[in-house]
Amino acid sequence: MHLSLVPAIFRKEMLDTIRDRRTLVSMIVVPLAAMPLLFFVIGKFMSTAEKKAGEEAATIAVRGAERVPGLLNALAAAQFTLVEKPDLKAAIERKEIAAAVEPILTAGRTEIRIYADLTRPGSEMAAARLRSALELFRENSVKLKLTALGVSDSLLTPFTIERVNVAPERKMSGMFWGGMLGYFVVLLMFSGGMYPAIDMTAGEKERRTLEVFLSSPAGRDEIILGKILATTAAVFVTALLSVASLVFSFRYSGFGKGSKAFQQMTGRIPLDAHSITLMVAALLPMAVMAASIMIAIALFAKSFKEAQSYLTPLVMAVIFPLIAGMLPGLQLTPALALIPLFNVCQLIKEIFLGEFSYAAFAVTMAANVVYAAVAFFAAVQIFKSERVLFRT
């Protein structure tokens, strides 16, 4: 093998990739434009839907309010618009009101029922607001009765309860970004590298340029190595652009801006030089493995369209172990570190959380290096097969 020829082949493949409009769009335009546009539209839709639900939740109906003195005043104080409806359930179903309240006497006690349609966001919001308002009304009623009897209302609250989150802000954001980035980066390595891999294999067959390439002074080992390196570079570029686009979308699209917890998780990206180095090191053998597998599979195709039909199921299959890597409560043990795809996704999540072990990191790296070497060897052997390259 003449390694001096590999850089020239790499440059040739990258130049062909940049010249191909279809591949360029899938590598650069889609990652940079699709996610911000998607999250902007979703954020706008959610904001509009939330505002509409809030307006709808203000209108409720009450029946039998005379059974509970002060009920109407308590609901009015909670900023509800009260209307009268003879049939509460039918009015909710016809969307004339968001929810309804009806006091009922059962076994000598008063039970206040809240009617709502939980399939409608506005009705569900109204039910939650009603519950809070009624609990406050009940508490105030008890306090007034105790005060009238000369008893301190502190008997009702002998102690308070407060939940304190001991996880620092970096760990909270690491939980979110680690799971998200681990899933998206590995998935985009396959989906983003699919078109360059196809263009370098089935695309050359379709353009009738593969025969010319094979007649050059470069051997097949050098050619396949150059193609895999070019595909790996394309995989990394697509993944990095997609991650940058994803971070920008979450930070600046307004998606989830109404939730303080969501803002706390997404507000700070726990990236430092140490975390970035570990993440890149973990992704490198995975990128080589992804490129080698896609090159090997695409070599069997005679046309671009046929190669797409071969690689699309692969990209779909990648999703399942990645989803498992996002599940909470899992810890990367040496045994689980042997599972491809899952191990990288889980390792990235633990790197962001700051809870990874170097033993699991070493096992993951060793396993993925072996998997990448096997995939690379398979791609080389397939590329050397005349029956595969020139099958009819």
Side-chain angles (χ1 to χ4, degrees):
M1 177 183 293
H2 301 286
L3 294 178
S4 59
L5 298 175
V6 174
I9 298 171
F10 173 82
R11 288 193 298 269
K12 178 263 180 191
E13 295 295 351
M14 292 303 298
L15 187 61
D16 287 346
T17 298
I18 295 172
R19 286 173 176 171
D20 184 73
R21 185 177 301 175
R22 180 169 45 187
T23 305
L24 196 62
V25 167
S26 68
M27 282 179 55
I28 298 177
V29 178
V30 172
L32 288 180
M35 285 190 182
L37 181 62
L38 175 64
F39 281 99
F40 174 79
V41 172
I42 293 176
K44 197 72 175 176
F45 175 78
M46 290 178 64
S47 177
T48 303
E50 186 177 351
K51 182 179 179 181
K52 182 179 178 182
E55 294 173 353
E56 180 186 350
T59 305
I60 64 168
V62 182
R63 185 169 62 190
E66 67 279 358
R67 298 169 189 160
V68 181
L71 176 60
L72 293 179
N73 292 333
L75 295 177
Q79 306 298 318
F80 283 108
T81 301
L82 307 179
V83 298
E84 294 183 1
K85 294 292 179 180
D87 191 339
L88 300 180
K89 294 182 180 179
I92 295 173
E93 291 175 356
R94 291 194 298 266
K95 299 183 180 180
E96 296 174 354
I97 56 176
V101 175
E102 181 181 22
I104 296 176
L105 294 175
T106 57
R109 299 184 62 183
T110 301
E111 176 184 288
I112 300 181
R113 292 184 178 177
I114 301 175
Y115 301 108
D117 181 358
L118 298 184
T119 62
R120 290 163 47 198
S123 185
E124 184 179 7
M125 186 183 298
R129 286 181 55 192
L130 277 171
R131 187 176 186 87
S132 298
L134 291 174
E135 288 176 350
L136 179 62
F137 173 56
R138 180 178 59 186
E139 183 179 343
N140 290 336
S141 298
V142 173
K143 287 181 179 180
L144 287 173
K145 291 180 180 180
L146 290 176
T147 302
L149 295 172
V151 180
S152 174
D153 59 10
S154 61
L155 292 175
L156 293 175
T157 54
F159 57 86
T160 60
I161 301 173
E162 182 181 1
R163 186 176 65 175
V164 179
N165 182 16
V166 299
E169 182 182 352
R170 187 185 190 280
K171 190 173 183 180
M172 289 295 296
S173 58
M175 177 183 67
F176 174 81
W177 288 112
M180 289 291 294
L181 292 181
Y183 173 83
F184 275 103
V185 168
V186 180
L187 177 61
L188 291 169
M189 280 186 167
F190 283 86
S191 61
M194 182 174 71
Y195 287 102
I198 293 174
D199 185 67
M200 296 177 197
T201 51
E204 289 212 13
K205 289 183 181 181
E206 203 170 42
R207 294 190 299 268
R208 304 289 183 181
T209 58
L210 183 60
E211 293 85 349
V212 178
F213 203 179
L214 292 174
S215 63
S216 66
R220 296 200 179 185
D221 290 336
E222 293 87 358
I223 293 174
I224 190 63
L225 179 57
K227 288 181 179 292
I228 290 177
L229 290 177
T231 306
T232 303
V235 163
F236 257 111
V237 169
T238 305
L240 291 176
L241 290 177
S242 300
V243 169
S245 179
L246 179 68
V247 172
F248 176 84
S249 301
F250 272 113
R251 291 290 298 274
Y252 303 107
S253 68
F255 182 81
K257 63 181 180 181
S259 172
K260 292 183 178 180
F262 187 84
Q263 289 297 312
Q264 183 184 13
M265 288 191 296
T266 60
R268 177 186 176 188
I269 306 173
L271 280 178
D272 50 46
H274 184 249
S275 298
I276 294 174
T277 302
L278 291 174
M279 186 171 67
V280 172
L283 289 174
L284 186 58
M286 178 58 60
V288 175
M289 184 183 76
S292 300
I293 291 175
M294 289 187 290
I295 288 283
I297 295 175
L299 282 170
F300 286 92
K302 294 182 291 184
S303 64
F304 202 100
K305 187 175 181 180
E306 184 182 355
Q308 279 183 304
S309 66
Y310 289 167
L311 289 180
T312 300
L314 172 67
V315 176
M316 297 295 292
V318 165
I319 295 175
F320 297 104
L322 296 182
I323 290 178
M326 293 179 65
L327 296 177
L330 291 177
Q331 188 175 3
L332 189 63
T333 62
L336 292 178
L338 298 176
I339 303 176
L341 301 176
F342 167 83
N343 56 8
V344 172
C345 185
Q346 185 68 21
L347 180 60
I348 291 175
K349 182 170 70 175
E350 293 188 3
I351 288 174
F352 275 79
L353 285 171
E355 296 180 346
F356 77 98
S357 67
Y358 282 99
F361 181 86
V363 174
T364 299
M365 288 294 294
N368 287 338
V369 166
V370 171
Y371 300 147
V374 171
F376 178 81
F377 178 77
V380 171
Q381 296 306 309
I382 291 172
F383 192 74
K384 289 181 178 180
S385 173
E386 298 287 337
R387 294 180 59 187
V388 173
L389 288 184
F390 303 108
R391 73 183 187 91
T392 57

